Amino acid sequence: MNAAESKVASAAATEARAALYAEMSPHHLTPLWEVLHALVPPQPNTPCVPALWRYDDVRPYLMRAGEVITAEEAVRRVLILENPALRGQSAITQSLYAGLQLILPGEVAPSHRHTQSALRFVVEGRGAFTAVNGERTTMQPGDFIITPQWTWHDHGSEADGPVVWLDGLDIPMIRFFDAGFAENGTSAQQQITRPEGHNFARYGANMLPVRYDAPHGSTSPIFSYPYARSREALARLERDGPVDAHDGFKLRYVNPATGGSPMPTMATFLQLLPRGFSGKPYRQTDGTVFSVVEGRGRATIGRGDSQWHYDFGPRDHFVVPSWHTLSLSASDECVLFSYSDRPVQQALSIWHEERLA
Ligand code: 1HN
C-alpha cells in the first residue's frame, strides 16, 4: 500500500469501528482497547488533589453550625473535609473520609453503630467523652480514639466549652464494596457497664488478659491512645536520635495483640519534626490525611510539574494524595498526626513507597 491507500484503509477502519461501537453500546458493551491505557496507567493517576484546611478558616463555620443545629438533631454535627476534586462524594481521598465534629457542653450525639470503622483525633478542648461498648473515655487534645466497626458509640460533653475532633472513617472504601450496614440505638446514650480506664488496664500496659479473646476481631482492643504517652515517646526519641531524613521521628499506632494497625482499614501515625528539620521528599501509594498538633512548618507537595506549598500551624489539616511527593520542614518543633488506608494496600500487596534523595 502506498501512503494514499493506507490513509483510505485507516479511514475505513475508523468508520467500521465507530459503527461497531455504536451498535453494541445499547447492549452495554465497550471495547477495552479504547480505554486500556487509562485502566492500567504506568503509575498511580489519582483524581484527588492536595488541599489544606486552615483551622482559622474552618472554626468560625463550625461554631456557626453549633448555633444553627444541635448535636442531637444533626446526629453528628460535622463539617466534612471534601477533596476539592471529589466534591459531593464525602471523601478526602478515594478511600477515606475526614470531618471535623463539634460537641457543645451538655450535648449528646446519640448512640448508633455501623460497619464503617472510625477514628477520632482530638483537636480542640477537653472534657467531652465518647462511649464505646459500655465504657467511656474522656477526650484530651491529641488523644487518638477508635470506634471499631459495628460497636455502639455515642458522644457527650461535660466540658465548659466547645470540643472539636477530627473524624477519620473508611466510608468511601466500604461504599466501594457495597458492604455497609447501620443501626440506631434504642436510647440516646448507651448503658455504661465498666468504669473509665478499664480498657486501658486490660490492654494498654503492654500486657493482655491471659485468655485474650480479640473482642473486636482484627481491630485493636484499646480504644483510646492518650496523647501524653505518645508525645512522651517522641520526646524521648528526639533526645536519643537518630532522626530519619524523610520522616523526622515517626511512630505508628498498633493493635497490641497483633502488632498490626489499630483498625483493619486505617493506619495511624504520630511524628515529630525537630525545629529546623528539612525533610527529604518521598511518595507513597496511600493518600494521607494530616492533622497538625503542635508547631509550625511547611509541607511541599509535588506531582509532575505542579507544586503546592502549605505553611501549616496547630489544628490545620491537609491531604497528600497517592503518589504525590511530600517533603516536610519545620520552623518550630512540630507534631503531626496522620492516617491512611495503608493496611488495606499492604494486605493486597500493592502498597509502594519511594524515598527520594
Ligand atoms: C459517625 O458515626 C460519626 O460516630 C462521625 O461520630 C462521622 C460520618 C459518616 C457516617 C458516620 C461518629 C460519621 C459517622
Side-chain angles (χ1 to χ4, degrees), residues 73-238:
E73 275 179 290
V75 181
R76 296 295 185 263
R77 190 204 285 114
V78 181
L79 300 186
I80 305 173
L81 308 183
E82 280 198 323
N83 193 288
L86 303 176
R87 293 307 306 271
Q89 296 182 40
S90 304
I92 191 159
T93 69
Q94 297 260 73
S95 60
L96 297 173
Y97 161 103
L100 288 170
Q101 180 159 178
L102 167 68
I103 195 153
L104 293 169
E107 286 192 322
V108 171
S111 187
H112 69 187
R113 62 177 177 176
H114 38 70
T115 45
Q116 290 82 1
S117 297
L119 67 87
R120 331 279 169 198
F121 187 73
V122 184
V123 167
E124 176 186 342
R126 60 187 75 238
F129 59 83
T130 187
V132 172
N133 259 357
E135 186 177 334
R136 276 184 185 179
T137 188
T138 302
M139 297 181 174
Q140 309 287 342
D143 289 355
F144 160 53
I145 294 165
I146 69 181
T147 308
Q149 61 96 14
W150 208 243
T151 51
W152 294 109
H153 56 285
D154 49 80
H155 319 301
S157 178
E158 287 160 8
D160 51 15
V163 177
V164 176
W165 63 83
L166 170 70
D167 284 317
L169 287 91
D170 51 13
I171 298 220
M173 199 187 311
I174 304 306
R175 181 166 61 199
F176 170 81
F177 289 118
D178 286 333
F181 294 87
E183 203 168 75
N184 287 324
T186 47
S187 57
Q189 289 186 285
Q190 65 184 282
Q191 210 157 4
I192 300 303
T193 56
R194 284 184 292 271
E196 178 157 0
H198 184 79
N199 177 276
F200 209 72
R202 279 165 81 82
Y203 309 113
N206 294 325
M207 303 174 94
L208 293 172
V210 236
R211 289 177 195 83
Y212 177 72
D213 60 353
H216 307 297
S218 57
T219 301
S220 174
I222 296 181
F223 71 93
S224 176
Y225 296 74
Y227 186 61
R229 275 211 166 183
S230 317
R231 182 67 180 86
E232 189 183 324
L234 289 175
R236 181 63 205 255
L237 290 177
E238 186 184 21

Side-chain angles (χ1 to χ4, degrees), residues 21-30:
Y21 304 166
E23 283 173 49
M24 68 186 179
S25 180
H27 300 276
H28 315 120
L29 295 168
T30 295

